[in-house]
């Protein structure tokens, strides 16, 4: 089941929208727009997870201010619990790999910092996690404004406040994550395909600061070969499936840590540092994992 996307407003008064209304599109723009619309509509029509919904609710909207809407989970209690379960499974997967545990601690932490979001997103897809969002309540925004205006800020406090405002989940980020999940769902990956794909994403030799780059590169190639063998075994008549699976992972790299942290885990952990918690989970004794 596909999650219902928020219906966009039909009118907008932002400057970008007014410019689009008063400036005629170029011939090239119109050609590309028609081609993109045709591609999106065809892909949606053949997508069993989407075709029950209004296609216009999933198409990108020309007004950029809609995508800058701050959003939060509509059901934080249930969704955060599901997300926490997926995160625990993600860390367990990493700990279950002997080749990962053999890496230097610094390399394990570097891979964790760089790869936990793509691995978590794969976990959401594998668990078929559905979630809904809504606009951040105005009362919450008003409270934030009133609290922030009670006392003058130092330069450091002001920077922290500005960073906090920027980290609010935006509808554009949610849409990007949902598109990634939907693309993975259309592939209908098997458990083995998910496992080897996670391995290929975890062992990323391009992560900065690694001391065992050559070894990690060999592990990634091994995972990719294993994935390809599984794909050929399960889908012998689909020669392009392996490439489509790898392409689906590129979009996951664009899902920000800030979005995942603020949307799924901030309601649970408060102001705690999520990476510190992940590190503790990773190196926790086996009996507690």
């Amino acid at each position: 089941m596909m999650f219902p996307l928020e219906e966009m407003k039909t009118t907008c008064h932002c400057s970008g929208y007014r410019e689009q209304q008063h400036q005629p599109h170029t011939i090239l723009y119109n050609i590309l727009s028609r081609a993109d619309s045709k591609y999106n509509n065809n892909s949606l029509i053949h997508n069993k997870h989407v075709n029950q919904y209004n296609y216009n609710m999933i198409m990108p909207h020309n007004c950029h201010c809609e995508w800058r809407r701050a959003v939060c989970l509509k059901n934080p209690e249930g969704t955060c619990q599901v997300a926490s379960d997926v995160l625990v499974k993600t860390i367990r997967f990493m700990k279950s790999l002997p080749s990962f545990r053999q890496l230097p601690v610094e390399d394990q932490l570097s891979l964790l910092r760089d790869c936990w979001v793509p691995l978590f997103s794969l976990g959401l897809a594998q668990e078929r996690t559905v979630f809904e969002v809504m606009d951040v309540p105005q009362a919450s925004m008003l409270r934030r404004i009133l609290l922030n205006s009670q006392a003058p800020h130092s330069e450091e406090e002001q920077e922290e406040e500005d960073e906090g405002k920027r980290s609010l989940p935006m509808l554009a980020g949610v849409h990007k994550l949902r598109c990634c999940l939907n693309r993975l769902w259309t592939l209908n990956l098997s458990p083995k395909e998910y496992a080897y794909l996670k391995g290929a994403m975890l062992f990323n030799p391009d992560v900065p600061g690694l001391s065992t780059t050559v070894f990690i590169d060999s592990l990634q190639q091994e995972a990719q070969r294993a994935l390809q063998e599984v794909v050929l075994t399960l889908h012998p008549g689909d020669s392009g499936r392996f490439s489509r699976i790898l392409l689906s992972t590129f979009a996951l790299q664009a899902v920000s840590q800030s979005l995942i942290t603020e949307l799924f885990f901030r309601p649970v952990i408060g102001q705690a540092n999520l990476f510190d918690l992940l590190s503790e989970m990773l190196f926790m004794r086996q009996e507690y994992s």
Side-chain angles (χ1 to χ4, degrees):
M1 175 182 176
M2 179 62 179
F3 17 58
L5 297 182
E6 293 71 12
E7 185 174 5
M8 298 303 174
K9 298 175 182 178
T10 56
T11 60
C12 177
H13 302 287
C14 72
S15 59
Y17 183 83
R18 289 196 300 270
E19 290 175 0
Q20 293 173 8
Q21 294 299 305
H22 291 91
Q23 294 182 4
H25 294 314
T26 63
I27 296 177
L28 178 60
Y29 177 89
N30 289 325
I31 293 175
L32 293 177
S33 297
R34 286 197 297 269
D36 183 62
S37 176
K38 180 179 179 181
Y39 170 80
N40 284 325
N41 283 330
N42 287 339
S43 63
L44 288 171
I45 290 172
H46 291 91
N47 184 348
K48 63 182 179 181
H49 301 295
V50 182
N51 57 15
Q52 58 184 309
Y53 293 99
N54 185 338
Y55 304 141
N56 293 329
M57 294 171 66
I58 303 177
M59 292 301 102
H61 194 266
N62 288 332
C63 174
H64 291 180
C65 70
E66 285 290 348
W67 295 121
R68 292 196 295 267
R69 284 162 47 195
V71 296
C72 61
L73 292 173
K74 192 172 183 179
N75 176 25
E77 294 81 7
T79 305
C80 288
Q81 180 60 57
V82 173
S84 297
D85 293 342
V86 171
L87 187 62
V88 170
K89 291 180 181 179
T90 299
I91 299 300
R92 284 179 178 173
F93 168 79
M94 299 172 69
K95 297 175 68 172
S96 70
L97 302 176
S99 53
F100 179 80
R101 299 301 299 271
Q102 292 172 5
L103 296 174
V105 171
E106 293 77 10
D107 283 2
Q108 292 185 45
L109 287 173
S110 295
L111 292 178
L112 173 66
R113 180 180 291 106
D114 187 82
C115 301
W116 78 264
V117 168
L119 292 180
F120 172 79
S121 301
L122 283 175
L124 290 179
Q126 187 173 11
E127 298 294 329
R128 300 277 173 166
T129 304
V130 176
F131 63 94
E132 297 182 50
V133 297
M134 63 180 185
D135 290 332
V136 173
Q138 293 298 321
S140 299
M141 290 188 173
L142 178 59
R143 181 174 181 273
R144 180 193 297 265
I145 294 172
L146 292 176
L147 289 177
N148 288 337
S149 61
Q150 285 180 356
H153 294 284
S154 66
E155 182 176 348
E156 182 178 352
E157 290 174 335
Q158 186 64 49
E159 290 179 356
E160 292 179 355
E161 177 186 332
D162 293 341
E163 179 62 29
K165 291 179 180 178
R166 286 194 297 269
S167 64
L168 284 173
M170 298 294 170
L171 184 58
V174 172
H175 179 76
K176 186 182 298 182
L177 172 61
R178 287 172 163 177
C179 288
C180 292
L181 296 179
N182 185 61
R183 180 175 296 181
L184 289 166
W185 288 344
T186 59
L187 290 168
N188 196 24
L189 301 178
S190 68
K192 283 189 175 181
E193 287 174 316
Y194 269 115
Y196 289 126
L197 182 57
K198 290 177 182 178
M201 297 201 69
L202 172 61
F203 297 115
N204 182 5
D206 297 326
V207 173
L210 295 175
S211 61
T212 55
T213 304
V214 176
F215 179 55
I216 291 174
D217 182 62
S218 67
L219 293 174
Q220 185 182 65
Q221 293 183 32
E222 181 181 345
Q224 290 178 347
R225 285 195 298 270
L227 173 61
Q228 188 172 27
E229 291 176 2
V230 169
V231 170
L232 292 176
T233 301
L234 298 178
H235 305 273
D238 191 349
S239 59
R241 180 175 176 82
F242 178 67
S243 298
R244 293 198 303 275
I245 292 176
L246 293 183
L247 285 174
S248 70
T249 64
F250 290 130
L252 292 177
Q253 302 291 348
V255 177
S256 70
Q257 292 189 10
S258 174
L259 171 73
I260 299 298
T261 301
E262 300 301 323
L263 186 64
F264 294 109
F265 301 108
R266 188 61 66 200
V268 177
I269 66 174
Q271 296 305 310
N273 186 299
L274 180 57
F275 182 74
D276 290 343
L277 299 178
L278 294 178
S279 302
E280 293 179 9
M281 293 170 61
L282 182 63
F283 296 108
M284 198 176 292
R285 290 185 179 183
Q286 185 66 30
E287 57 263 29
Y288 295 107
S289 61

